[in-house]
Amino acid sequence: MDYRRDDQNDQHQTESSHTEHQNTENRQLIEHPEQELLDEPVSYEAGKQETASSLEMEKTETAVKKEKKRRAAWLSPILGGIIGGGLMLGIAPYLPSDQDQATEAVSANKQVQSGNFKTTPITNASNVADMVEDLEPTIVGISNIQTSQNNTFGTGGGSSSESESGTGSGVIFKKDSNKAYIITNNHVVEGANKLTVTLYNGETETAKLVGSDTITDLAVLEISSKNVKKVASFGDSSQLRTGEKVIAIGNPLGQQFSGTVTQGIISGLNRTIDVDTTQGTVEMNVLQTDAAINPGNSGGPLINASGQVIGINSLKVSESGVESLGFAIPSNDVEPIVDQLLENGKVDRPFLGVQMIDMSQVPETYQENTLGMFGDQLGKGVYVKGVQGNSPAAKAGIKSEDVIVKLNGKDVESSADIRQILYKDLKVGDKTTIQVLRNGKTKTLNVTLTKQTESSSS
């Protein structure tokens, strides 16, 4: 199954990317049906004699009880892999073992908002049209302008020219004196020589990149606040439930369709996506929605029934016969990253300083004859191909051809597990333990994590 960032450039795919100027295949959109509601019978005490008025009251109570006992049937979409320029994604559904978990919070991260975000729900959110009208001034279009060399005869000279490489969407979340700030996706702004922002009224502004983060696919832009009338409010994504109504607003296929609104529901919570980036493979936690997310919607908001942003649209399914599968980064995951980007322009993460290969890719004969592994040890953990000099791993005593099987007390099955533990459970300066297999014997090593550098990913 083919999935992709909803506006990524890819010369080898038939679906169009970022900009409206590229060809797009026509697709028949299939509406996601509402989940079937199941009624449960309500029993009454047999033989009870009632007056006419009592029977009327009993009918009313029955209707109320039946309405309360309705519940939605669980839908389990089958997801495959995602490919999008710059990021390759492999999707595996997170399916709760108990149906009741379908209505649990999307993220274990409770909402702890800083002063960078407004939280007040809008007052006229009961009407979708009124809500969209209220939110429209906070939605922007973003153009990624890149410079290319014009060298017709290959002589090394020639002139350079600027052209629009792609487009995306964004949402204004903060206004501070003469500056305003926008959240979008990293893949919308990546590689840009210049960024321009188009406001709801058609005014354009040159934007400054405040900071971006490849791992979370988030970026923050700064523009003049001269034409900014309001900012969006952010909600608590941990309170979302499957089946809640949401809307997506953005600029599919560029400015021609700016401010496009699509409506749907939260189709799933806690979807886990393996993302291969320049920083290595990491897991992303996303919301699943059936609100249409088309090329150019990246970076735009997913909005709840109170008119609050509860996600940043980032991914869509791209395969013939599969529709209404879009994904957004939960607002509670977005906010702490945005806070760091505003403060530092980047996100500092710990690293080990090792080159890794998953053991599933190491031949079993090599595991047995060279690494000295046997029995239950085979196929488990991550093979250390190399160790960076003066890194935390080197100082801890990790060596090439070690096999990492535990980090911070947690089992390691793949390099993605190591990055997940590093990025989610640990921080710069933490002291932790690493368990390795060396010549078939288990060793536990102590390591102190330091700041990740630009040239190393784990």
Side-chain angles (χ1 to χ4, degrees):
M1 186 174 290
D2 181 25
Y3 296 75
R4 64 175 56 244
R5 293 285 181 190
D6 60 277
D7 58 357
Q8 285 293 290
N9 292 317
D10 192 336
Q11 297 178 350
H12 304 291
Q13 299 292 336
T14 57
E15 179 168 318
S16 69
S17 59
H18 292 296
T19 177
E20 59 184 313
H21 302 298
Q22 296 175 334
N23 293 327
T24 306
E25 294 181 357
N26 294 324
R27 291 178 175 79
Q28 179 181 4
L29 297 179
I30 304 173
E31 184 178 357
H32 191 321
E34 293 290 338
Q35 293 175 324
E36 182 180 0
L37 298 177
L38 305 179
D39 292 341
E40 290 187 352
V42 179
S43 62
Y44 298 93
E45 184 179 347
K48 186 176 181 181
Q49 301 298 319
E50 299 287 351
T51 62
S53 60
S54 297
L55 289 171
E56 186 64 29
M57 290 179 63
E58 191 171 354
K59 289 179 181 179
T60 303
E61 291 173 357
T62 300
V64 172
K65 288 178 181 178
K66 290 178 72 177
E67 182 64 28
K68 287 182 177 180
K69 290 192 175 184
R70 290 170 181 255
R71 62 177 181 264
W74 174 256
L75 290 176
S76 301
I78 300 175
L79 307 174
I82 295 186
I83 299 179
L87 296 180
M88 294 185 297
L89 304 163
I91 301 280
Y94 179 91
L95 301 179
S97 58
D98 189 311
Q99 180 173 337
D100 291 340
Q101 292 179 356
T103 59
E104 287 186 355
V106 63
S107 172
N109 298 329
K110 299 299 181 182
Q111 187 181 40
V112 181
Q113 285 187 320
S114 68
N116 292 320
F117 295 90
K118 176 184 173 185
T119 60
T120 309
I122 65 174
T123 55
N124 54 347
S126 58
N127 183 293
V128 173
D130 289 341
M131 181 169 67
V132 170
E133 188 175 291
D134 190 272
L135 290 165
E136 191 177 31
T138 71
I139 313 302
V140 302
I142 299 170
S143 295
N144 181 319
I145 310 298
Q146 297 188 15
T147 303
S148 59
Q149 289 293 129
N150 299 320
N151 186 9
T152 306
F153 300 105
T155 59
S159 61
S160 62
S161 62
E162 290 184 338
S163 61
E164 186 180 80
S165 174
T167 63
S169 304
V171 57
I172 302 171
F173 72 99
K174 181 179 181 180
K175 183 177 179 180
D176 184 11
S177 185
N178 62 343
K179 299 176 181 178
Y181 298 91
I182 298 163
I183 295 174
T184 187
N185 286 138
N186 172 71
H187 74 266
V188 170
V189 302
E190 201 165 29
N193 296 108
K194 184 170 75 173
L195 295 163
T196 60
V197 169
T198 304
L199 303 175
Y200 79 105
N201 58 5
E203 295 286 341
T204 59
E205 301 273 356
T206 299
K208 171 188 174 183
L209 179 62
V210 176
S212 61
D213 184 54
T214 302
I215 290 173
T216 57
D217 194 29
L218 292 169
V220 175
L221 307 182
E222 177 190 300
I223 60 171
S224 167
S225 65
K226 179 176 61 176
N227 294 308
V228 175
K229 305 303 180 186
K230 67 187 309 179
V231 299
S233 289
F234 276 63
D236 187 351
S237 59
S238 72
Q239 299 303 309
L240 288 171
R241 298 185 302 164
T242 302
E244 281 192 38
K245 289 184 178 180
V246 290
I247 63 172
I249 307 179
N251 301 329
L253 307 182
Q255 293 304 312
Q256 181 183 0
F257 301 106
S258 63
T260 294
V261 180
T262 57
Q263 186 175 12
I265 61 171
I266 294 294
S267 305
L269 306 173
N270 284 320
R271 299 309 193 204
T272 301
I273 301 174
D274 290 331
V275 185
D276 289 333
T277 74
T278 54
Q279 299 289 328
T281 302
V282 296
E283 289 184 351
M284 282 182 65
N285 176 55
V286 291
L287 302 168
Q288 180 188 332
T289 180
D290 69 343
I293 298 175
N294 294 300
N297 274 112
S298 269
L302 190 66
I303 298 161
N304 66 12
S306 297
Q308 297 170 307
V309 178
I310 45 78
I312 298 297
N313 299 321
S314 186
L315 312 168
K316 66 165 287 186
V317 173
S318 176
E319 180 169 307
S320 176
V322 179
E323 297 293 344
S324 302
L325 281 176
F327 302 93
I329 308 166
S331 58
N332 287 16
D333 293 348
V334 170
E335 292 169 18
I337 299 299
V338 168
D339 286 339
Q340 290 189 62
L341 293 177
L342 279 173
E343 184 176 354
N344 305 317
K346 60 180 181 178
V347 178
D348 288 330
R349 293 185 174 90
F351 88 112
L352 287 175
V354 294
Q355 292 178 286
M356 300 178 292
I357 299 175
D358 290 352
M359 288 300 291
S360 59
Q361 300 178 34
V362 178
E364 189 170 302
T365 53
Y366 189 87
Q367 295 182 41
E368 293 175 332
N369 300 333
T370 303
L371 302 181
M373 299 173 67
F374 57 90
D376 293 341
Q377 297 177 346
L378 296 172
K380 294 182 179 179
V382 173
Y383 172 73
V384 178
K385 181 181 178 182
V387 180
Q388 182 177 323
N390 204 37
S391 65
K395 293 177 180 178
I398 296 176
K399 299 180 179 180
S400 296
E401 298 198 337
D402 279 351
V403 176
I404 300 173
V405 291
K406 279 193 176 183
L407 173 60
N408 200 39
K410 293 185 176 181
D411 290 338
V412 169
E413 297 289 339
S414 67
S415 56
D417 290 339
I418 288 182
R419 293 186 177 95
Q420 182 76 358
I421 296 167
L422 281 175
Y423 300 158
K424 295 293 181 69
D425 299 345
L426 298 166
K427 60 182 183 297
V428 175
D430 280 353
K431 296 180 179 180
T432 187
T433 58
I434 298 178
Q435 190 175 101
V436 301
L437 291 174
R438 184 178 297 167
N439 297 321
K441 296 180 180 179
T442 301
K443 286 183 174 291
T444 300
L445 306 171
N446 297 314
V447 61
T448 301
L449 301 171
T450 59
K451 186 182 299 185
Q452 183 179 8
T453 65
E454 292 296 327
S455 60
S456 57
S457 62
S458 58

